[in-house]
Amino acid sequence: MSVSEDRAISFQRICRDHTPVLLEIEQEAYPDPWTPGMFGQEIVGPNSHFYVAERAGEIIGYAGFWLLLQEAHVTKVTVARPYRGQGLGITLMEYITGRAVELGANTMRLEVRASNTTAQRLYRSLNFVEAGVRKNYYARAGEDALVMVRDLSVV
Ligand SMILES: CC(C)(COP(=O)(O)OP(=O)(O)OC[C@H]1O[C@@H](n2cnc3c(N)ncnc32)[C@H](O)[C@@H]1OP(=O)(O)O)[C@@H](O)C(=O)NCCC(=O)NCCS
């Protein structure tokens, strides 16, 4: 295998086999990690489009959205900690954006913690704009969510 093949990122739809690793990554990445049942919903949900990214046989991140009419609502974007700061967050977002556009979405929407400035910078760099605040959206942490929206009709 060449070095370039070794560095290549492949995406596949989430399946049950991925869940144990995703649950581990969740514990580190979020104060309110998803449960096995929540990942289960992404596997079977008719509107769910959820993908796992692998490099050299290892899961490096995952991202997904629900397609509701022509709006793609991002449910997750996570890069496993050892792989952050290499542009993979952008790679994941670009992949799900491409899938959403192929499926007919004209808008992408997400919620992000008010304190998560790294994620907000990432979204702004991809032309997301702030569309409002949901007060106390993350009730466990008592934190607001910023709502961010991207117009996909110009992608
Ligand atoms: C938010 C998250 C997905 C970003 O993923 P990431 O792969 O680290 O993102 P990127 O590498 O694309 O960008 C992150 C930072 O690395 C920098 N970066 C990108 N490529 C780089 C490179 N080659 N060398 C050095 N730095 C780089 C970016 O400029 C950015 O810096 P900034 O925050 O100071 O602007 C990741 O931090 C994560 O999974 N966090 C935990 C879960 C989470 O909060 N998810 C979002 C929920 S809304």
Side-chain angles (χ1 to χ4, degrees):
M1 184 187 286
S2 74
V3 172
S4 63
E5 279 166 342
D6 191 43
R7 302 294 295 167
I9 294 169
S10 64
F11 289 88
Q12 49 181 298
R13 271 192 103 126
I14 186 175
C15 68
R16 301 254 170 232
D17 292 348
H18 295 131
T19 311
V21 176
L22 303 197
L23 289 169
E24 258 180 53
I25 297 173
E26 283 282 302
Q27 290 297 326
E28 184 283 317
Y30 297 99
D32 50 354
W34 275 15
T35 60
M38 291 160 101
F39 282 112
Q41 282 304 312
E42 299 305 318
I43 295 167
V44 299
N47 300 320
S48 170
H49 301 269
F50 200 101
Y51 303 92
V52 173
E54 291 185 347
R55 190 170 63 190
E58 202 169 349
I59 294 177
I60 55 165
Y62 46 95
F65 62 90
W66 292 340
L67 186 65
L68 305 167
L69 301 176
Q70 286 176 288
E71 181 170 297
H73 192 118
V74 178
T75 49
K76 273 285 168 196
V77 183
T78 314
V79 174
R81 181 174 280 283
Y83 307 109
R84 290 184 196 152
Q86 303 171 22
L88 293 171
I90 288 182
T91 303
L92 284 172
M93 283 302 293
E94 282 177 341
Y95 182 77
I96 61 168
T97 302
R99 295 292 303 129
V101 169
E102 278 169 20
L103 292 163
N106 59 21
T107 310
M108 187 169 255
R109 181 179 296 268
L110 55 82
E111 282 98 15
V112 55
R113 280 172 200 282
S115 63
N116 194 348
T117 50
T118 300
Q120 287 164 31
R121 266 196 297 272
L122 169 69
Y123 302 140
R124 284 200 185 92
S125 76
L126 291 168
N127 296 326
F128 279 84
V129 294
E130 221 175 295
V133 174
R134 291 197 207 285
K135 285 279 170 200
N136 211 28
Y137 183 78
Y138 302 100
R140 226 165 96 183
E143 191 168 359
D144 298 344
L146 300 188
V147 180
M148 299 187 83
V149 176
R150 181 180 180 184
D151 179 2
L152 299 182
S153 64
V154 293
V155 169

